[in-house]
Amino acid sequence: QVQLVESGGGLVQAGGSLRLSCAASGRIFRSYFMAWFRQAPGKQRELVAGISSAGATTYGDSVKGRFIISRDSTQNTVNLYMNSLKPEDTAVYYCAAAFVFAPSPNGYDYWGQGTQVTVSS
């Protein structure tokens, strides 16, 4: 069974940094497009960042220049480094995997359980 397990969420002050990690099975990690989505209360789930198996990256407009996504092949993890955090970054963050890149959550086959990120002002 495919599992995506997130870790690293928490409470941080505005301007601070956090790192989220997503551990995936080897088959998924090697072949799938990996992404981070987030969902704030009352809002739609949105793409934060994604990375292909070859290392090509994409970012949502609201996080460009502040967040960095990377792959660690030694541990089969995808990391999201979040810097200069703002209160509007507060959301539940989800790791997801798709066979090919998709901008919409509907295009993803596997999801983690989510991790809460709260940014205080």
Side-chain angles (χ1 to χ4, degrees):
Q1 184 173 349
V2 173
Q3 281 191 314
L4 300 177
V5 180
E6 302 109 333
S7 60
L11 173 64
V12 64
Q13 288 189 332
S17 299
L18 278 177
R19 185 189 74 172
L20 304 183
S21 293
C22 173
S25 64
R27 177 179 68 87
I28 296 298
F29 181 84
R30 285 189 297 272
S31 305
Y32 276 57
F33 183 90
M34 303 294 296
W36 286 95
F37 283 79
R38 68 185 181 188
Q39 189 166 20
K43 294 189 176 181
Q44 291 187 333
R45 194 168 294 191
E46 64 172 351
L47 177 67
V48 176
I51 186 166
S52 73
S53 57
T57 59
T58 186
Y59 295 93
D61 288 342
S62 62
V63 306
K64 283 180 181 176
R66 299 189 297 124
F67 291 12
I68 297 173
I69 189 170
S70 67
R71 303 173 73 99
D72 183 346
S73 60
T74 64
Q75 299 190 28
N76 288 352
T77 59
V78 176
N79 297 310
L80 183 67
Y81 297 88
M82 305 186 294
N83 302 304
S84 303
L85 283 161
K86 305 174 182 180
E88 50 264 44
D89 293 317
T90 295
V92 178
Y93 284 69
Y94 297 90
C95 180
F99 192 66
V100 296
F101 167 71
S104 167
N106 293 337
Y108 288 77
D109 304 300
Y110 305 105
W111 291 87
Q113 80 284 359
T115 185
Q116 176 71 45
V117 171
T118 303
V119 184
S120 63
S121 57

